[in-house]
Amino acid sequence: MQRVKSASSVLSRYTANNNGGFISRLKRSLSSLSNSPLTDDQENFVLVEGNGASRTAILNRPSVLNALNTSIGARLQKLYSSWEDDPDIGIVQLKGRGRAFCAGGDIVALYNVIRQGNIEQGKEFFWTIYNFIYMLGTYLKPHVALLHGITMGGGAGVSIPGTFRVATDKTVFATPETLIGFHPDAGASFYLSHLPGYLGEYLALTGDKLNGVEMLSCGLATHYSLAAKLPLIEEQLGSLTTDDPSVIEGSLQNFGDLVHPDPTSVVHWIETLDKCFGHDTVEEIIDALESEASRTKDVWSTSTLKKLKDTSPLSLKVSLRSIREGRFQTLDQCLIREYRMSLQGISGKITSDFCEGVRARLVDKDSMPKWNPPSLELVTADMVDEYFSPVTALEPDLELPTKLREAFL
């Protein structure tokens, strides 16, 4: 199989040309993988299968729906780098063990380290995961993510930038970050902003779920197969001795199922959705939904309004701006901006909505978060602007090897 670049030479050149900044930060990440719920058990949380020309990484934290932590991000980077540099490997696959592909970042562990005052561990978590996402988005070999089961937040982030995404009848997708006082991250402002119409804004603000058929219909998934066929797909991909994406595409198509979204699906509301979510501000979006609900009494408008009113007002405003900016940015630019936003979100400087949202939804589970500010009217332009700024003047931005790994999209 023909190799385009050497990952090890890319790494060494980047170290030489950038004073080792990226590598030094990665080494600090790897050296801090002990005594933290964000960094436990690096080897066992990602298993490996395959031989010949195929390798499969298996997310192996089924008890927490394969939630990502720093260790998993570092392990995936190490594996993917070695596989990319191996001329005998043509296909890389990623799947989850159990009933989830990946439910996103381990936000309960993140919540706990923040409450303990360990903000640096939170920074390392985002730094490591975002760097892996950029690696995936610039990967030199065909990548197949088998999105069987729950695929949310960071789980989408470590799959959608890759070449192929196979959804099934068991897939459940969402970017539910606004429900916990955060913002859709892990590259979400890039891929959501490229969805048809204003569907990305809708998904980002409401945290609504999509099934596998809906993912295929809007482009989040590249293929759809019944879950019962997954063993056959894995067997077929494992037998291939090629790195030709067209051959892999043909193999996946052989197991595809012809499906159409349910009549109640949000994709059938796209005209109304675009009319409401195409507005410039959250307030105008809500006004449009209220007008639509009053005029038509339809269930979709009413339920969408309720979802928006249950979320953090500040999260709604920063998330809308994030998606709008993502429409005009590359993957690396989105990740760098999202890193700033994520550090603001966990720092508590502007608001403690993230910790409050996790407490209410996942820790105490009273589902009664007390947002601060409590209403859209009290969210100032300065607050939103600050959310997009570095936490401090000395805080370094996310470093990505963009000169040597140029994003394909």
Side-chain angles (χ1 to χ4, degrees), residues 70-121:
T70 312
S71 300
I72 289 176
R75 169 85 163 145
L76 287 172
Q77 284 191 48
K78 181 179 178 180
L79 289 171
Y80 275 53
S81 179
S82 67
W83 294 339
E84 187 177 49
D85 206 35
D86 188 336
D88 295 325
I89 296 176
I91 307 170
V92 174
Q93 301 178 60
L94 182 64
K95 67 177 184 178
R97 183 182 172 194
R99 66 188 182 95
F101 169 72
C102 174
D106 192 341
I107 56 176
V108 173
L110 181 59
Y111 164 87
N112 286 329
V113 300
I114 292 169
R115 283 175 56 84
Q116 294 163 8
N118 297 328
I119 296 295
E120 289 302 315
Q121 289 188 18

Side-chain angles (χ1 to χ4, degrees), residues 17 243 255 297 317 361 404 406:
N17 294 340
D243 59 1
F255 295 98
K297 305 295 191 294
K317 290 203 172 187
R361 307 287 188 194
L404 297 170
E406 185 177 355

Side-chain angles (χ1 to χ4, degrees), residues 238-313:
S239 69
L240 296 178
T241 56
T242 181
D243 59 1
D244 186 343
S246 65
V247 175
I248 299 166
E249 166 78 22
S251 296
L252 293 174
Q253 285 182 345
N254 289 337
F255 295 98
D257 290 288
L258 183 62
V259 287
H260 301 283
D262 185 86
T264 61
S265 169
V266 67
V267 301
H268 296 302
W269 288 92
I270 198 69
E271 183 177 344
T272 303
L273 184 154
D274 284 352
K275 183 168 63 174
C276 295
F277 281 82
H279 289 285
D280 292 336
T281 68
V282 175
E283 289 89 344
E284 289 173 324
I285 290 172
I286 290 176
D287 287 345
L289 285 166
E290 289 176 340
S291 176
E292 190 69 22
S294 176
R295 184 177 65 84
T296 65
K297 305 295 191 294
D298 67 80
V299 174
W300 180 82
S301 299
T302 303
S303 63
T304 300
L305 275 170
K306 184 179 186 308
K307 290 169 186 172
L308 293 178
K309 291 178 179 179
D310 284 342
T311 60
S312 158

